[in-house]
Amino acid sequence: NSKLRHVEKDVLIPQIMRERAKELCSDKVQAFTKCCQETGLLMVVKCRQENTALKDCLVGYYSDPLFYEECKTEYLKQREEYKATGIKKKRQKLTSNV
């Protein structure tokens, strides 16, 4: 049964999308984080370029219907595994070698 409840469509799938988009945009996340750490209180002014690049990357994924479908498929797979085993699977985080 692949019918989605409101909370699944509006909360759970977007949560997977955010996690995956952050992983896929990790270079931009790191650049923005590094800029903020280096500039402190002036980050609003000094890190505008890094912030824009990060936002553009994330929004690109959030607004991509194919990306939504991928994340929905991933969610449905997790839901089926949970129904079959009763064990909630934690998403594996991609680790970057920094």
Side-chain angles (χ1 to χ4, degrees):
N1 181 11
S2 62
K3 192 159 167 71
L4 295 170
R5 295 173 299 154
H6 167 70
V7 72
E8 292 172 317
K9 278 192 275 193
D10 296 345
V11 178
L12 300 175
I13 294 171
Q15 185 176 17
I16 290 173
M17 290 176 75
R18 280 191 302 276
E19 288 172 11
R20 287 197 58 212
K22 274 188 202 167
E23 292 167 3
L24 294 166
C25 298
S26 65
D27 57 333
K28 289 163 185 64
V29 171
Q30 288 173 357
F32 179 65
T33 303
K34 184 176 180 220
C35 181
C36 290
Q37 289 169 343
E38 290 172 355
T39 57
L41 294 174
L42 294 173
M43 68 183 181
V44 175
V45 176
K46 299 239 178 188
C47 301
R48 197 172 285 149
Q49 188 176 341
E50 289 84 353
N51 187 29
T52 300
L54 174 56
K55 250 194 278 187
D56 289 349
C57 184
L58 294 173
V59 169
Y61 283 110
Y62 298 158
S63 58
D64 180 352
L66 289 174
F67 185 67
Y68 176 84
E69 288 302 318
E70 281 176 32
C71 293
K72 180 173 113 176
T73 300
E74 182 179 330
Y75 171 77
L76 291 171
K77 189 173 143 205
Q78 288 175 8
R79 187 174 77 172
E80 282 307 307
E81 286 175 16
Y82 176 71
K83 284 182 179 178
T85 64
I87 300 168
K88 194 168 193 163
K89 187 177 180 190
K90 290 227 180 233
R91 271 187 42 79
Q92 295 237 325
K93 296 256 186 235
L94 294 178
T95 54
S96 58
N97 300 330
V98 179

